[in-house]
């Protein structure tokens, strides 16, 4: 076997250019598939991280209640049940935020600008102030109910500076118009790269403006310690709510395998689920008592994005296989040429007592060595490309930001993907070299020795 | 070194052994050539005894290579039988023939046929690494170095074939043919690609090995000068033996039909 290996290895160095080209073709395939795999995996991670930032949390609990007039309002009034539910998943989450939010038209002089106002309980949300990057003013005086933290972009549009008062026009949960007054205490850097920035005010004051009870809130944002427990935690929470109160159906954006009839119901259910999540008004079907809960996770929201990326990965795999087939044709052809070139050599080895299997193995091993060299070169090249790409900052291209981590591409390589690709490649290489190898093994020694090349 | 005396003595002794090491009985070989057939060997019968130094001569197309191939178990006869150490090659499958070649036979080719990617040492070692090992690593190394020194290439052990002259390459080929201590070494026109002086030296080296190791040598040539060194000459023409001569002054002519 060592002799076979030695001959096979040295054979690859006989026509270095030829071996180099073959390995190069294989390396190219590896580069393509590795980059796509690592890029899509990294992209999913980044999108998730960006979503956490954007939506604030991994699991969201929202609620709807019926007002005395029969109107559906977005509110969680039953905090006791929420606390009970959270007790069941104690330890799985790092912290929770209780928030109310609404879209507000801010007015300053003759200028107006509309954006989201988040009602924050500054006493319990101690993390938020540490995350905000203050550009002007300070976050020391947040206890003032009318204190307002504005993102830079909004402040610029309104032309407002710290210490000035702005008016806020909004709609109460019962649909009436209301006006509030806020004092700008700080201007902060935009939190996200997506151009969706929120302003922050006191939840108590916002609830007052919205017509909600002072201790009520609309969304509970749960931040998990381990992102992988998302479905598990949400299931526990959902089950608890379902057992003790009314619940909305879970959001499920997978549109697969549904019949025409099912789809109609499904679309309606999902519309309700989304409306509940976004704090909108759902159509009244049957009246209920207390809070009707909805539990949504980042995975639920992400699933269409993930399936889109899965499609991208599949396309990459198809491209990889097509590349491989082209390479295989090249390998088969090359080994046929090698067979002709080395016919007399094969005859000699057979004459000295090498069995057919030995001759075949020399060919197959040579193919495997070329394949492995290609794999190694491919991984090195892919590594270099990833290193270069991840060191470039893409802050200017805002469309990309959603897929990036702080403006950088990130790549994540799963060992299983690497091993699968190596296995696919080696098997394909062996298949490609099999026919010429078999032909070499079957050459009658006398005929092989007569060959003059 | 008396290249001529000792082998003759050996031949003389060995000839008394009744069982020949190689026996060809009415061997015929037909090759397909396009839509027709060519009969390369038309019924050849002769024996080879252990320790013989036999030369098969004849013009191109007389069937020399075909006969050597059949003795070498790399080809089998169309009819008749070739017995190697009493085994009929026609009854063996490819695997058995390969095993027989490895155990009993050594080959020297006209164009040397060294494996270009292996150096001198490795080329000689090559047949020893096929099949089950019969020596320890140290024994093997010592034996290969003995062979390399015997063919006078002590300083060339780690050179690749393309760094050697034609004569040196054929010396490597001789050492390789002897590596497995075969009973028979077959050499198909071993001097054809060499100048006459080198050719003679190669034949003399073969004869020396024949004497020292008691290995049977069968070689083909159409060079009459070289032929005279052999102690047993078989002349072929058109696929038939026309003369079977021993240089010990004993001459026998076999029937041709």
């Amino acid at each position: 076997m060592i002799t076979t290996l030695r001959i096979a290895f040295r054979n690859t160095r006989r026509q270095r250019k030829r071996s180099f080209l073959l390995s190069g073709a294989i390396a190219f395939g590896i580069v393509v598939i590795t980059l796509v795999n690592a890029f899509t995996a990294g992209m999913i991670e980044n999108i998730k991280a960006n979503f956490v930032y954007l939506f604030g949390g991994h699991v969201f609990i929202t609620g709807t209640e019926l007002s005395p007039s029969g109107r559906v309002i977005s509110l969680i009034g039953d905090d006791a049940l929420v606390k009970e539910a959270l007790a069941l998943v104690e330890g799985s989450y790092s912290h929770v935020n209780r928030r109310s939010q609404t879209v507000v038209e801010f007015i300053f002089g003759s200028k107006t600008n509309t954006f989201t106002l988040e009602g924050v309980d500054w006493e319990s949300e101690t993390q938020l102030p540490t995350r905000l990057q203050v550009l002007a003013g300070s976050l020391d005086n947040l206890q003032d109910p009318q204190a307002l933290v504005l993102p830079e972009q909004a402040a610029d549009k309104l032309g407002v500076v710290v210490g000035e008062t702005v008016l806020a026009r909004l709609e109460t949960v019962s649909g009436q118009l209301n006006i509030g007054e806020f004092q700008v205490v700080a201007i902060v850097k935009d939190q996200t790269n997506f151009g969706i920035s929120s302003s922050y005010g006191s939840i108590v004051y916002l609830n007052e403006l919205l017509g909600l009870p002072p201790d009520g809130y609309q969304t509970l944002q749960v931040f998990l310690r381990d992102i992988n427990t998302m479905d598990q935690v949400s299931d526990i929470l959902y089950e608890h709510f379902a057992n003790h109160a009314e619940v909305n159906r879970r959001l499920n954006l997978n549109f697969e395998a549904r019949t025409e009839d099912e789809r109609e119901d499904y679309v309606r259910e999902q519309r309700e689920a989304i409306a509940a999540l976004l704090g909108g008004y759902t159509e009244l079907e049957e009246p209920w008592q207390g809070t009707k809960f909805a539990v949504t996770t980042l995975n639920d929201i992400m699933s269409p994005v993930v399936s889109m990326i899965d499609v991208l990965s599949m396309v990459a795999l198809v491209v990889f296989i097509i590349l491989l087939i082209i390479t295989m044709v090249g390998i088969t052809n090359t080994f046929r040429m090698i067979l002709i070139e080395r016919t007399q050599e094969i005859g000699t080895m057979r004459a000295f007592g090498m069995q057919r299997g030995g001759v075949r193995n020399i060919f197959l091993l040579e193919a495997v060595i070329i394949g492995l060299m290609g794999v190694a070169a491919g991984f090195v090249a892919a590594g270099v490309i990833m290193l270069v790409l991840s060191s470039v900052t893409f802050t200017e291209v805002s469309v990309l930001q959603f897929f990036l981590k702080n403006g950088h591409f990130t790549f994540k390589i799963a060992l299983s993907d690497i091993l699968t690709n190596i296995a696919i490649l080696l098997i394909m290489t062996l298949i490609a070299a099999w026919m010429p190898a078999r032909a070499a093994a079957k050459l009658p020694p006398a005929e092989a020795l007569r060959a003059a090349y | 070194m008396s290249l001529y005396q000792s082998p003759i003595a050996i031949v003389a002794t060995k000839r008394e052994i009744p069982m020949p090491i190689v026996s060809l009985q009415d061997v015929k070989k037909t090759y397909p050539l396009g839509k027709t057939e060519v009969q390369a060997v038309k019924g050849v019968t002769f024996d080879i005894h252990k320790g013989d130094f036999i030369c098969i001569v004849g013009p191109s197309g007389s069937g020399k290579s075909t006969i050597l191939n059949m003795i070498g178990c790399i080809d089998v006869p169309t009819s008749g039988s070739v017995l190697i150490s009493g085994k009929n090659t026609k009854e063996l499958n490819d695997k058995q023939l390969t095993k027989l070649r490895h155990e009993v036979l050594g080959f020297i080719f006209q164009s040397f046929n060294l494996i270009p990617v292996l150096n001198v040492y490795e080329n000689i070692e090559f047949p020893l690494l096929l099949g089950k090992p019969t020596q320890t690593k140290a024994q093997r190394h010592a034996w290969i170095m003995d062979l390399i020194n015997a063919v006078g290439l002590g300083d060339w052990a780690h050179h690749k074939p393309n760094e050697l002259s034609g004569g040196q390459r054929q010396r490597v080929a001789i050492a390789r043919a002897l590596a497995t201590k075969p009973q028979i070494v077959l050499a198909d026109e071993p001097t054809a690609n060499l100048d006459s002086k080198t050719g003679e030296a190669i034949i003399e080296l073969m004869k020396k090995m024949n004497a020292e190791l008691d290995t049977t040598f069968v070689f083909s040539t159409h060079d009459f000068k070289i032929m005279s060194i052999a102690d047993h000459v078989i002349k072929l023409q058109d696929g038939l033996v026309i003369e079977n001569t021993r240089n010990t002054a004993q001459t026998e002519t076999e029937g041709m039909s």
Side-chain angles (χ1 to χ4, degrees):
Chain A
M1 192 62 193
I2 291 167
T3 319
T4 315
L5 193 64
R6 189 194 290 164
I7 293 174
F9 179 70
R10 292 190 190 170
N11 277 343
T12 61
R13 297 168 57 181
R14 279 163 93 156
Q15 291 254 359
R16 286 173 196 228
K17 250 184 211 166
R18 185 164 65 191
S19 300
F20 180 78
L21 285 174
L22 269 186
S23 301
I26 292 166
F28 183 68
I30 284 285
V31 167
V32 171
I33 191 72
T34 309
L35 280 184
V36 173
N37 276 346
F39 177 69
T40 49
M43 197 155 74
I44 291 174
E45 289 266 295
N46 293 343
I47 292 174
K48 273 189 183 167
N50 288 333
F51 264 78
V52 173
Y53 218 47
L54 184 65
F55 286 87
H58 299 106
V59 179
F60 319 98
I61 299 166
T62 51
T64 43
E65 291 188 7
L66 284 178
S67 71
S69 62
R71 198 181 165 107
V72 179
I73 56 172
S74 167
L75 170 70
I76 299 176
D78 190 356
D79 195 40
L81 190 62
V82 172
K83 279 179 178 153
E84 264 177 42
L86 284 176
L88 297 174
V89 291
E90 186 82 56
S92 307
Y93 62 91
S94 60
H95 62 285
V96 294
N97 293 336
R98 290 176 169 82
R99 294 269 182 97
S100 290
Q101 64 269 100
T102 192
V103 177
V104 173
E105 188 185 17
F106 283 98
I107 305 161
F108 182 68
S110 59
K111 291 179 182 165
T112 62
N113 194 16
T114 305
F115 47 91
T116 316
L117 175 63
E118 296 273 339
V120 180
D121 178 3
W122 294 108
E123 267 177 46
S124 67
E125 269 196 51
T126 49
Q127 289 205 329
L128 182 60
T130 62
R131 271 213 334 255
L132 295 171
Q133 272 180 276
V134 180
L135 299 172
S138 85
L139 300 173
D140 299 336
N141 200 16
L142 292 168
Q143 307 317 322
D144 177 3
Q146 284 170 301
L148 178 69
V149 177
L150 272 185
E152 186 186 11
Q153 199 189 355
D156 283 351
K157 280 189 180 159
L158 289 169
V160 71
V161 294
V162 172
E164 287 178 314
T165 305
V166 292
L167 291 180
R169 184 157 59 185
L170 51 85
E171 215 177 55
T172 65
V173 288
S174 54
Q176 286 148 338
L177 206 64
N178 202 357
I179 301 275
E181 210 172 74
F182 286 94
Q183 194 181 19
V184 180
V185 295
I187 293 168
V188 294
K189 203 168 166 36
D190 287 349
Q191 275 219 42
T192 63
N193 288 313
F194 325 125
I196 309 164
S197 300
S198 297
S199 54
Y200 301 95
S202 152
I203 189 169
V204 179
Y205 185 49
L206 182 60
N207 281 350
E208 188 188 322
L209 292 175
L210 286 170
L212 296 174
D215 57 347
Y217 57 97
Q218 295 177 316
T219 310
L220 182 87
Q221 305 170 333
V222 183
F223 288 82
L224 299 175
R225 290 185 200 282
D226 178 7
I227 194 167
N228 296 318
T229 61
M230 203 188 288
D231 291 325
Q232 204 187 329
V233 169
S234 62
D235 285 348
I236 296 171
L237 295 176
Y238 183 79
E239 207 185 313
H240 189 75
F241 291 130
N243 289 338
H244 298 90
E246 292 283 337
V247 280
N248 271 311
R249 283 180 192 257
R250 301 284 306 267
L251 183 68
N252 179 0
L253 297 179
N254 275 325
F255 287 85
E256 292 158 7
R258 286 175 191 281
T259 65
E260 203 64 35
D261 288 348
E262 280 176 336
R263 193 170 294 147
E264 208 169 285
D265 289 343
Y266 168 76
V267 169
R268 190 170 43 75
E269 281 164 15
Q270 294 311 313
R271 202 190 295 138
E272 277 175 30
I274 295 168
L277 173 71
L278 300 175
Y281 304 99
T282 49
E283 283 170 40
L284 182 58
E285 286 181 346
E286 286 187 16
W288 71 90
Q289 292 287 318
T291 309
K292 189 173 185 179
F293 287 94
V295 178
T296 315
T297 69
L298 205 57
N299 281 346
D300 297 337
I301 301 166
M302 286 277 297
S303 65
V305 180
V306 173
S307 35
M308 206 172 74
I309 291 168
D310 282 347
V311 170
L312 188 67
S313 299
M314 284 299 292
V315 171
L317 189 67
V318 170
V319 171
F320 177 59
I321 288 171
I322 291 171
L323 275 177
L324 263 188
I325 290 170
I326 296 169
T327 312
M328 277 173 70
V329 173
I331 291 174
T332 307
N333 200 28
T334 307
F335 276 91
R336 283 171 62 93
M337 270 157 45
I338 289 175
L339 167 64
I340 294 167
E341 279 168 27
R342 299 188 194 152
T343 302
Q344 206 179 49
E345 210 173 302
I346 293 162
T348 309
M349 293 192 285
R350 294 280 283 129
F352 275 99
M354 182 173 264
Q355 294 288 0
R356 282 176 175 170
V359 174
R360 193 187 55 221
N361 289 347
I362 288 179
F363 271 69
L364 293 181
L365 275 174
E366 188 172 343
V368 168
I369 292 168
I370 287 174
L372 285 176
M373 289 198 294
V375 168
F379 281 128
V380 170
V384 170
I385 293 170
M386 285 190 259
L387 210 65
V388 171
L389 273 181
S390 57
S391 66
V392 180
T393 318
F394 294 89
T395 44
E396 300 307 314
V397 199
S398 62
V399 188
L400 279 177
Q401 299 309 321
F402 216 59
F403 307 105
L404 306 181
K405 187 179 185 180
N406 302 325
H408 291 277
F409 278 111
T410 52
F411 298 94
K412 199 183 157 201
I413 307 173
L415 186 67
S416 59
D417 282 347
I418 291 180
L419 295 179
T420 311
N421 292 337
I422 292 177
I424 292 176
L425 199 129
L426 288 184
I427 291 168
M428 298 281 257
T429 308
L430 281 176
I431 293 171
W434 181 260
M435 294 282 275
R438 210 173 68 125
K442 283 197 160 181
L443 272 176
E447 220 169 273
L449 281 168
R450 263 198 299 275
Y453 291 100
Chain B
M1 167 91 205
S2 55
L3 284 168
Y4 300 99
Q5 286 157 15
S6 61
I8 294 165
I10 290 162
V11 170
T13 339
K14 299 303 169 194
R15 280 183 70 225
E16 287 158 20
I17 299 166
M19 174 89 166
I21 191 165
V22 176
S23 179
L24 279 73
Q25 287 155 15
D26 195 26
V27 168
K28 289 177 184 162
K29 181 71 188 179
T30 311
Y31 287 115
L33 189 77
K35 284 178 184 171
T36 57
E37 286 188 331
V38 172
Q39 202 172 14
V41 177
K42 297 172 180 167
V44 167
T45 302
F46 65 86
D47 289 345
I48 298 170
H49 293 273
K50 188 161 169 43
D52 272 0
F53 194 73
I54 295 185
C55 178
I56 299 175
V57 288
S60 293
S62 59
K64 301 187 297 287
S65 297
T66 308
I67 288 175
L68 277 177
N69 281 348
M70 286 188 288
I71 298 172
C73 300
I74 49 183
D75 217 343
V76 286
T78 312
S79 73
S81 60
V82 176
L83 303 172
I84 309 287
S85 299
K87 282 180 191 156
N88 191 341
T89 59
K90 235 182 150 179
E91 290 163 4
L92 303 176
N93 62 25
D94 181 80
K95 202 167 183 176
Q96 291 164 325
L97 282 174
T98 306
K99 194 160 176 271
L100 189 67
R101 284 198 298 271
H102 182 242
E103 287 166 357
V104 180
L105 297 152
F107 295 86
I108 298 165
F109 301 98
Q110 180 181 336
S111 45
F112 326 127
N113 290 21
L114 299 177
I115 298 167
V117 291
L118 303 180
N119 65 30
V120 167
Y121 183 95
E122 290 163 339
N123 259 292
I124 298 168
E125 190 186 31
F126 173 76
L128 293 171
L129 299 174
L130 302 169
K132 281 183 190 147
T134 52
Q135 297 163 298
T136 65
K137 225 173 166 182
Q139 282 173 329
R140 190 169 75 216
H141 175 75
W143 169 234
I144 294 165
M145 288 319 292
D146 281 353
L147 283 170
I148 291 176
N149 290 325
V151 297
L153 288 173
D155 298 333
W156 298 85
H158 298 290
H159 286 257
K160 289 274 171 68
N162 61 6
E163 295 159 359
L164 306 177
S165 70
Q168 285 173 319
R169 288 184 205 187
Q170 201 59 303
R171 284 166 184 273
V172 178
I174 291 170
R176 176 179 63 176
L178 294 165
T180 53
K181 300 179 185 167
Q183 296 173 41
I184 310 156
V185 170
L186 299 165
D188 191 4
E189 303 208 31
T191 61
N193 280 356
L194 302 171
D195 61 78
S196 57
K197 206 175 149 202
T198 316
E200 275 173 51
I202 288 294
I203 296 296
E204 280 175 19
L205 176 64
M206 280 165 50
K207 186 120 195 184
K208 179 185 139 199
M209 292 302 181
N210 163 255
E212 286 177 4
L213 303 168
D214 198 18
T215 306
T216 309
F217 273 78
V218 183
F219 69 101
S220 69
T221 184
H222 49 244
D223 185 341
F224 285 88
K225 229 162 71 187
I226 291 169
M227 184 168 66
S228 62
I229 303 171
D231 47 48
H232 185 173
V233 177
I234 294 166
K235 277 189 187 167
L236 290 179
Q237 200 176 330
D238 297 329
L240 292 167
V241 176
I242 54 164
E243 208 179 301
N244 192 340
T245 322
R246 291 197 175 272
N247 281 350
T248 48
Q250 183 186 348
T251 304
E252 40 183 281
T253 306
E254 290 180 12
M256 312 141 265
S257 72

